[in-house]
């Protein structure tokens, strides 16, 4: 093996492996708008980030959060940032055999050479992939075994809102929005390097912990009660806070990223350019962690969005623009926005899409603007619960009549297929609530046939298992077991198939209850679950988010092994199907998401009474705690501005062609 200096390209070692693996293009890099900087671009104080999305390239490349941070960091002088993804098992085996370490796709540098390995977790099922990357990178799995010269491993993303499950493996976690947070970390690392790295790695971690906005598990001690519950999690160093605050970016117009979106070389899961039109959601759906932890709502202005769309299309040549948010039709100027964009791109190949549409926010005007340029993709709505009663429990304020009115308008306007998304295993749910899904789907088909006068009307029912998540009113709830979930879904499938008139027009897609149990273990786990993750990984667990790689049996066997060595009476059921009491100290109580625990508990009690709560965007404040505690506020329009000029693409198709072939 030739001697290598830090920052050297590993490509000469990697190249011979590429013809032996599936989809070699995912390891090559060189995408449009990617960045390669000089290793010493900032002299001795250069701060070097490797950003990892712990899944396959095709899933990781279009991830908006990673793309934004990549660009925010690379725009700075003296900072370089490169990307790395999980390698497929065939590549992992070859890399181990040939001694090739985990590498970045941008300049094929060894991940172990960087100062920071930032890992963005959208889901808990990426944890085993992190361990593969650490091991391939020559970085000790356990934070406590790392020494000066190893990268700091920092977790972020929605799944980092309970950092305790992966406390053994990460040096730190950043909670909330990353844009300002990564720059804060960069400034600290840079200053520490300029000072000659005093106190080594430990001093740097202390400085990070003392900001109050970075959680460093190594500086906290967990004590347990005899029955296995946590007694408390306490800081062990002076100046380290009891609770770590969430980062919230205000004024999204000041952060118009990505300006130069990456265009993947290989096919990816989203072939479009995306613009985040607002962040946060206050609809208050009680099952929805994303909505709870991203409060308050912050809208991008209509003009800011227009500018991002224009620049992004010019920089990428994509022909579809996704208007992203947790509930895009809730933007206060969505009608003006979609009309303005449809006007601007009329006569071009540019299509618009809203990835998520609420039943009660959808109307045909909106739909027509979205399809004006000739594209008519499927429509997806998420009633979430099959019965009116269960929708009150989860605070999804959509009536059956709302849904029927909406699909009626859609089928009447020429749509042929509507997709409906539901959950199974919601708190207080009975078989009857789930069987209502079949009745609802039949009504949808019947309505579609009536208004369109056609027989080829389809409705696809897609069902996911409910997993209670931290920082939601359902964080105390016992999860439905895998067997009970499967039994309930079996009854629903039979009910749909048994109907001669409608059954063949209803597609039925569902996940069995097993992955949900593993997700539940990881999302509400504490430090002791780290031993389970490690055991699964050592026994070959990889890519747990992919059904063809996921093994429930492996997870259960590994959990049994790991918990057997534990002095407390805990097992998988203890973490998943057990109901918690109000007084229990929860592993994520060290994280301050802004939400008052008392408010969440009250909302849980309200759900049991089937009490609905309005959206605080349009009503007085409900005192969830976020705005005053975090010094933030709701930022919404209307701004009253319009999208101008409309002559941007005055040359019509010819003007667009220049962009497309750029």
């Amino acid at each position: 093996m030739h001697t290598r200096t830090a920052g050297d390209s590993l490509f000469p070692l990697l190249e011979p492996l590429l013809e032996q693996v599936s989809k070699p293009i995912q390891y090559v890099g060189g995408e449009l708008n990617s960045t390669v900087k000089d290793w010493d671009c900032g002299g001795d104080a250069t701060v070097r980030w490797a950003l990892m999305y712990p899944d396959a390239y095709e899933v990781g490349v279009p991830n908006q959060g990673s793309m934004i941070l990549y660009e925010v960091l690379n725009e700075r002088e003296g900072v370089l940032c490169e990307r790395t993804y999980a390698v497929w098992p065939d590549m992992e085996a070859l890399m181990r055999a040939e001694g090739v370490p985990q590498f970045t796709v941008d300049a094929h540098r060894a991940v172990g050479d960087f100062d920071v390995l930032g890992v963005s977790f959208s889901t808990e099922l990426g944890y085993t992939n992190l361990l593969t990357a650490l091991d391939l990178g020559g970085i000790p799995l356990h934070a406590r075994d790392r020494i000066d010269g190893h990268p700091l491993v920092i977790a972020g993303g929605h799944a980092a809102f309970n950092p305790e499950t992966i406390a053994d493996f990460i040096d730190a976690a950043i909670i909330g929005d990353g844009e300002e947070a990564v720059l804060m970390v960069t400034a600290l690392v840079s200053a520490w390097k300029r000072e000659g790295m005093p106190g080594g790695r430990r001093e740097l971690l202390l400085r990070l912990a003392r900001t109050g906005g970075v959680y460093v598990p190594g500086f906290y001690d967990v004590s347990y009660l005899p029955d296995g519950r946590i007694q408390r999690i306490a800081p062990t160093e002076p100046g380290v806070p009891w609770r770590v605050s969430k980062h919230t970016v205000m004024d999204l117009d000041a952060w118009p990223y990505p300006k130069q979106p990456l265009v993947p070389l290989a096919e990816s899961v989203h072939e479009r350019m995306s613009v985040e039109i607002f962040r946060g959601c206050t609809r208050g759906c009680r099952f929805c962690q994303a909505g709870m932890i991203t409060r308050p709502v912050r809208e991008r202005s209509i003009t800011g969005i227009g500018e991002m769309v224009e620049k992004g299309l010019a920089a990428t040549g994509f022909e579809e623009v996704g208007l992203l948010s947790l509930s895009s039709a809730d933007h206060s100027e969505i009608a003006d926005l979609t009309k303005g964009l449809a006007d601007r791109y009329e006569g071009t190949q540019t299509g618009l899409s809203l990835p998520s549409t609420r039943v009660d926010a959808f109307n045909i005007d909106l739909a027509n603007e979205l399809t004006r340029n000739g594209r008519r993709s499927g429509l997806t709505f998420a009633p979430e619960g099959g019965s009116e009663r269960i929708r009150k429990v989860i605070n999804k304020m959509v009536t059956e009549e709302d849904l029927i009115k909406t699909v009626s308008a859609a089928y009447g306007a020429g749509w042929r297929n509507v997709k409906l998304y539901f959950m199974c295993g919601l708190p207080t749910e009975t078989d009857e609530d789930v069987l209502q899904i079949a009745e609802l789907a039949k009504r949808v088909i019947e309505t579609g046939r009536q208004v369109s006068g056609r027989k080829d009307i389809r409705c696809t029912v897609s069902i996911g298992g409910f997993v209670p998540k931290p920082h939601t009113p359902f964080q105390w709830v016992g999860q439905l077991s895998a067997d009970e979930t499967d039994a309930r879904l079996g009854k629903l499938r039979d009910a749909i198939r048994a109907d001669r008139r409608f059954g063949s027009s209803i597609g039925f897609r569902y996940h069995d209850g097993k992955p949900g149990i593993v997700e539940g273990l990881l999302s509400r786990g504490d430090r002791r679950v780290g031993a389970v993750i490690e055991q699964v990984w050592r026994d070959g667990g990889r890519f747990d988010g992919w059904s063809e790689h996921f093994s429930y049996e492996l997870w259960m066997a590994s959990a049994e092994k790991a918990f057997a060595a534990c002095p407390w009476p805990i097992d998988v059921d203890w973490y998943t199907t057990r109901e918690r009491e109000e007084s229990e100290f929860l592993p994520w109580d060290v994280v301050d998401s802004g939400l008052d625990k008392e408010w969440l508990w009250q909302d849980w009690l309200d759900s049991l009474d089937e009490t609905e709560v309005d959206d605080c965007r349009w009503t007085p404040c409900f005192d969830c705690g976020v705005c005053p505690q975090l010094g933030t506020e709701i930022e919404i329009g209307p701004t009253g501005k319009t999208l101008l000029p409309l002559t941007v693409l005055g040359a019509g198709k010819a003007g667009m062609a220049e962009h497309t072939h750029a």
Side-chain angles (χ1 to χ4, degrees):
M1 179 108 182
H2 69 303
T3 53
R4 192 174 65 73
T5 50
D8 280 357
S9 170
L10 298 167
F11 200 71
L13 299 176
L14 184 65
E15 198 172 17
L17 312 184
L18 293 176
E19 59 196 29
Q20 305 173 55
V21 297
S22 60
K23 297 189 185 170
I25 197 158
Q26 64 187 311
Y27 307 118
V28 175
E31 301 95 338
L32 182 61
N33 300 329
S34 62
T35 307
V36 174
K37 283 186 162 183
D38 185 50
W39 186 248
D40 292 310
C41 61
D44 291 344
T46 309
V47 180
R48 305 177 184 97
W49 282 78
L51 281 185
M52 178 174 195
Y53 190 85
D55 206 329
Y57 174 91
E58 64 203 68
V59 180
V61 170
N63 178 261
Q64 202 71 357
S66 305
M67 217 184 281
I68 289 169
L69 299 184
Y70 176 71
E71 206 172 294
V72 165
L73 287 162
N74 275 322
E75 270 189 358
R76 298 301 183 276
E77 293 281 312
V79 182
L80 73 95
C81 175
E82 299 190 10
R83 297 161 297 131
T84 187
Y85 303 100
V87 298
W88 282 116
D90 61 349
M91 181 57 118
E92 180 191 340
L94 282 174
M95 286 164 67
R96 290 189 187 284
E98 300 297 327
V100 179
Q102 180 79 21
F103 56 88
T104 60
V105 295
D106 296 290
H108 302 99
R109 290 162 168 155
V111 166
D113 292 348
F114 288 75
D115 299 308
V116 184
L117 171 59
V119 191
S120 176
F121 289 106
S122 309
T123 153
E124 297 83 3
L125 295 172
Y127 293 159
T128 51
N129 284 352
L130 166 66
L131 301 195
T132 305
L134 292 174
D135 193 50
L136 284 172
I139 303 164
L141 289 190
H142 293 153
R144 62 172 181 269
D145 298 330
R146 292 175 201 145
I147 54 172
D148 296 355
H150 286 132
L152 290 187
V153 180
I154 303 183
H158 286 183
F161 272 77
N162 174 16
E164 280 296 286
T165 317
I166 47 171
D168 289 352
F169 315 117
I170 60 171
D171 294 296
I174 291 175
I175 315 300
D177 295 338
E179 291 94 334
E180 292 163 325
V182 294
L183 295 179
M184 182 263 293
V185 171
T186 301
L188 271 169
V189 174
S190 181
W192 172 76
K193 279 185 151 187
R194 273 198 303 276
E195 292 163 29
M197 306 193 252
R201 178 186 192 84
R202 189 173 192 281
E203 169 66 22
L204 177 57
L205 283 166
L206 260 176
R207 290 184 188 187
L208 287 169
R210 285 176 176 153
T211 63
V214 180
Y215 181 62
V216 181
F219 297 138
Y220 290 81
D221 185 51
V222 187
S223 49
Y224 301 95
L225 297 166
D227 64 4
R229 288 176 303 153
I230 294 173
Q231 187 171 19
R232 67 173 198 170
I233 300 180
T236 56
E237 298 292 325
V240 173
W242 282 83
R243 297 186 81 200
V244 173
S245 296
K246 167 178 100 166
H247 296 265
T248 306
V249 167
M250 301 305 288
D251 186 13
L252 288 190
D253 280 341
W255 296 87
Y257 295 93
K259 299 170 185 170
Q260 303 268 316
L262 290 162
V263 181
L265 292 171
E267 194 178 321
S268 71
V269 289
H270 296 304
E271 299 283 327
R272 61 166 176 250
M273 184 209 112
S274 298
V275 174
E276 183 185 26
I277 62 174
F278 69 85
R279 199 172 282 183
C281 181
T282 41
R283 285 280 187 168
C285 300
R286 295 178 174 121
F287 57 84
C288 180
Q289 184 189 41
M292 292 288 170
I293 62 179
T294 57
R295 293 176 173 218
V297 170
R298 291 142 288 148
E299 282 186 0
R300 228 183 263 287
S301 69
I302 190 167
T303 42
I305 295 164
E307 208 166 294
M308 285 183 72
V309 169
E310 188 188 335
K311 287 182 174 164
L313 286 173
T316 61
F318 278 129
E319 291 187 344
E320 186 184 339
V321 179
L323 303 177
L324 291 190
S325 75
L326 289 171
S327 181
S328 295
D330 283 342
H331 190 288
S332 61
E333 296 181 286
I334 190 67
D336 294 342
L337 174 63
T338 48
K339 183 177 183 334
L341 288 172
D343 283 347
R344 180 179 282 184
Y345 297 103
E346 178 121 45
T348 70
Q349 293 300 304
T350 308
L352 299 174
S353 66
L354 292 188
S356 57
T357 322
R358 283 186 57 92
V359 172
D360 50 352
F362 174 86
N363 60 59
I364 283 305
D365 293 343
L366 180 60
N368 288 340
E369 296 300 355
L370 291 173
T371 57
R372 201 195 302 172
N373 291 330
R375 302 198 172 193
R376 183 159 289 196
S377 49
L379 281 178
T380 302
F381 299 107
E384 311 288 0
S387 68
E388 208 97 340
R389 186 194 75 78
I390 204 78
R391 288 194 290 274
K392 285 181 176 165
V393 170
I394 63 177
N395 205 44
K396 185 86 181 186
M397 290 184 280
V398 173
T399 65
E400 188 164 327
E401 289 319 307
D402 287 336
L403 180 66
I404 295 303
K405 208 163 70 192
T406 301
V407 297
S408 167
Y411 286 129
W415 265 271
R416 295 279 160 266
N417 189 10
V418 168
K419 189 173 174 186
L420 301 177
Y421 181 81
F422 297 93
M423 279 188 288
C424 176
L426 290 160
T428 78
E429 181 186 273
T430 62
D431 287 356
E432 194 41 49
D433 292 310
V434 173
L435 290 171
Q436 282 289 308
I437 295 172
E439 297 309 310
L440 202 52
K442 290 173 198 173
R443 265 200 82 184
V444 165
I445 296 286
E446 192 168 26
T447 305
R449 288 178 184 172
Q450 273 169 3
V451 297
S452 69
R454 299 173 63 122
K455 281 271 185 259
D456 63 343
I457 294 295
R458 300 268 311 151
C459 166
T460 305
V461 171
S462 189
I463 306 202
F466 166 68
V467 179
K469 291 282 167 119
H471 308 283
T472 68
F474 292 157
Q475 62 183 7
W476 292 276
V477 176
Q479 192 175 343
L480 194 66
S481 74
D483 289 346
E484 289 173 286
T485 302
D486 292 348
R488 212 163 266 178
L489 290 173
K491 287 177 186 165
L492 174 59
R493 186 193 55 224
D494 294 344
I496 290 174
R497 284 191 183 154
D499 193 292
R500 289 261 170 86
R501 279 182 28 202
F502 302 115
S504 59
S505 301
I506 301 172
F508 185 48
R509 291 190 191 149
Y510 64 93
H511 299 289
D512 64 36
K514 290 173 177 173
I517 290 294
V518 172
E519 197 184 321
L521 169 69
L522 298 176
S523 67
R524 291 196 292 174
D526 53 47
R527 291 188 186 196
R528 296 168 292 189
V529 174
V532 181
I533 298 169
E534 188 174 338
Q535 187 66 53
V536 167
W537 176 78
R538 290 194 183 284
D539 291 340
R542 304 286 187 275
F543 289 96
D544 293 298
W546 295 68
S547 52
E548 60 267 41
H549 292 279
F550 173 79
S551 166
Y552 180 73
E553 291 66 36
L554 174 61
W555 275 93
M556 293 307 110
S558 301
E560 208 171 311
K561 253 187 256 182
F563 290 141
C566 224
W568 300 279
I570 57 175
D571 57 13
V572 172
D573 288 347
W574 192 85
Y575 285 103
T576 55
T577 57
R578 175 178 71 95
E579 193 150 317
R580 282 81 169 151
E581 287 171 14
E582 183 184 8
S583 58
E584 181 166 343
F585 188 99
L586 303 170
W588 50 93
D589 284 347
V590 290
V591 168
D592 183 6
S593 61
L595 297 159
D596 286 334
K597 205 173 173 183
E598 295 75 24
W599 178 82
L600 286 171
W601 180 260
Q602 186 52 52
D603 204 39
W604 162 229
L605 298 180
D606 285 347
S607 82
L608 294 174
D609 292 340
E610 295 165 28
T611 303
E612 294 176 306
V613 178
D614 283 322
D615 184 337
C616 67
R617 250 174 304 194
W618 326 115
T619 57
C621 170
F622 289 111
D623 254 356
C624 72
V626 169
C627 293
Q629 282 196 97
L630 299 175
T632 56
E633 59 184 344
I634 290 177
E635 291 186 346
I636 57 171
T639 57
K641 293 184 178 167
T642 50
L643 272 186
L644 289 167
L646 294 178
T647 50
V648 175
L649 296 171
K653 290 180 180 166
M656 196 55 203
E658 288 166 33
H659 291 318
T660 320
H661 300 305

